[in-house]
Amino acid sequence: MQRYWDTPVTWGHAGLFLLGALAVLAVVILFVTYAIYFERKVLGWMQYRRGPNRTGPLGLLQTVADVAKLLIKEDTIPAKADRALFILAPALAFVPSFLVLAMIPYGLHLQFADLNVGFLYYIALSGVTTIAIVIAGWSSNNKYALLGGMRSAAQMISYEVPLVMSVVGVAMMAGSLNLRDIVLYQEGYFWHWNFLPQIVGFAVFVVAAVSELNRTPFDLPEAESELVAGYHVEYSGFRFAFFMLSEYIYVYAIACLATILFLGGWNPPFPQLDFIPGLIWFALKFAAVVFFLFWIRATLPRLRVDQLMGLAWKVLLPLAIANIFLTALGIEWFGKGG
């Protein structure tokens, strides 16, 4: 019997793949556009401000106007910058952020690539964006941009370690790193979801993920109060927009991963509610995670760099290692399916 991966790819298949990629890109661009608007409205609400309310009805076109301004803004390249690397860095930051979306399962049969190592695929590609940020800082020939790039490299490499290790417990319980298998393992009532038995891993994942996103209170690479905006200080116009776009795409990816790994994915909190489409449950959990990220930004101040690095190596890493041992003991005592 011929296996499906031995079947030759036709032009029809290629067309479907292209249409699917364009559809995902459209969804992500729409998410980024209105995630920025939603974030500004949430921050305004929490800080007793109005937020965007003039451009378009209820300010809904404010982000569209901001993007249009960036696209028509003059594109400047410093005279002594490394021109080739300066131009390459924004694209190198954006492309991996979009590629990571291929392995996210939104439903049992709603996924582009069913990878056996889906989470490791995300970690591998997100590391390329770290390289792009360092290249952007170095190629700008600006000492503040270089400091921002080096800070970002140190921060993202440091927090990738506890981020990966926080998911080891989930993989041990599900017996797989396949994201669809992890969601299927969490079927049933909401207390079967991983955020309860893996509460320590979940806490480590959330903190490390916020740092990976370079968002408040871990936004030291962009510390505008001390580094005049960090690694992208010399970028303007659409090149700067690429960096902002990649940041919000990673917000999208991290919110999806948190939903899949710890919050049951498309599973309802009670089996009796399975008549509601799984995509709706996924969207609700996803929206809650995104709101939580915005809530943190409105609430917490920025850490010092020594506090940032100390938290990664002295707190999160020991907790992640302890969680692995506790998970192993739990599996040994209660059984893999217990």
Side-chain angles (χ1 to χ4, degrees):
M1 184 176 69
Q2 189 179 36
R3 296 168 296 184
Y4 70 90
W5 53 79
D6 293 330
T7 305
V9 177
T10 65
W11 284 107
H13 292 146
L16 288 176
F17 293 152
L18 179 61
L19 288 175
L22 291 175
V24 171
L25 180 61
V27 169
V28 170
I29 294 297
L30 185 68
F31 165 80
V32 171
T33 301
Y34 286 100
I36 296 172
Y37 168 81
F38 181 59
E39 180 172 20
R40 294 172 69 180
K41 294 296 281 188
V42 168
L43 294 177
W45 169 57
M46 291 186 172
Q47 297 169 356
Y48 295 99
R49 297 183 288 106
R50 290 186 180 276
N53 65 343
R54 298 299 179 90
T55 310
L58 303 176
L60 287 170
L61 298 180
Q62 181 63 56
T63 306
V64 177
D66 292 339
V67 171
K69 178 189 73 174
L70 287 173
L71 292 178
I72 63 176
K73 210 170 184 179
E74 182 182 4
D75 176 33
T76 60
I77 299 178
K80 295 186 178 181
D82 187 319
R83 186 178 181 87
L85 292 179
F86 188 88
I87 294 172
L88 174 65
L92 197 60
F94 167 73
V95 172
S97 69
F98 183 64
L99 289 176
V100 300
L101 305 182
M103 52 76 193
I104 294 174
Y106 304 97
L108 187 59
H109 303 292
L110 193 57
Q111 183 181 16
F112 279 95
D114 186 18
L115 303 178
N116 288 331
V117 288
F119 180 71
L120 295 183
Y121 172 82
Y122 167 83
I123 293 298
L125 284 176
S126 63
V128 178
T129 299
T130 306
I131 298 172
I133 289 174
V134 175
I135 291 175
W138 184 84
S139 64
S140 298
N141 195 32
N142 180 307
K143 59 185 177 183
Y144 296 110
L146 179 59
L147 282 172
M150 296 307 294
R151 273 187 175 187
S152 182
Q155 174 178 331
M156 296 179 78
I157 291 171
S158 297
Y159 279 85
E160 271 183 4
V161 178
L163 182 71
V164 173
M165 296 186 72
S166 68
V167 182
V168 172
V170 172
M172 292 168 67
M173 293 179 65
S176 174
L177 270 172
N178 183 295
L179 297 180
R180 189 171 63 173
D181 291 345
I182 291 174
V183 176
L184 293 175
Y185 173 79
Q186 299 175 79
E187 286 183 334
Y189 293 94
F190 70 89
W191 52 81
H192 294 157
W193 298 351
N194 286 327
F195 81 96
L196 281 177
Q198 286 291 310
I199 187 66
V200 176
F202 182 49
V204 172
F205 178 88
V206 169
V207 177
V210 173
S211 181
E212 277 281 294
L213 295 171
N214 290 336
R215 292 181 60 84
T216 307
F218 305 109
D219 58 339
L220 271 75
E222 302 175 16
E224 66 279 354
S225 60
E226 52 191 287
L227 288 178
V228 293
Y231 63 90
H232 52 57
V233 65
E234 297 289 357
Y235 284 88
S236 63
F238 74 96
R239 299 189 200 280
F240 170 77
F242 268 104
F243 283 116
M244 177 173 282
L245 182 63
S246 64
E247 177 183 326
Y248 277 89
I249 292 177
Y250 277 121
V251 169
Y252 179 95
I254 282 291
C256 288
L257 283 175
T259 300
I260 291 165
L261 295 171
F262 295 98
L263 301 178
W266 58 83
N267 291 316
F270 300 98
Q272 294 83 354
L273 298 175
D274 60 0
F275 61 90
I276 299 175
L279 190 60
I280 293 178
W281 289 116
F282 189 99
L284 290 173
K285 298 170 189 177
F286 168 85
V289 175
V290 172
F291 175 79
F292 177 74
L293 293 174
F294 297 163
W295 184 5
I296 290 176
R297 181 173 181 179
T299 308
L300 299 178
R302 181 181 296 137
L303 298 179
R304 298 195 314 265
V305 67
D306 60 310
Q307 294 172 327
L308 176 84
M309 302 305 288
L311 179 64
W313 296 108
K314 297 178 182 178
V315 179
L316 296 186
L317 183 59
L319 282 176
I321 294 173
N323 181 64
I324 293 174
F325 281 100
L326 290 174
T327 303
L329 291 174
I331 292 173
E332 181 67 24
W333 288 342
F334 302 109
K336 195 169 184 179

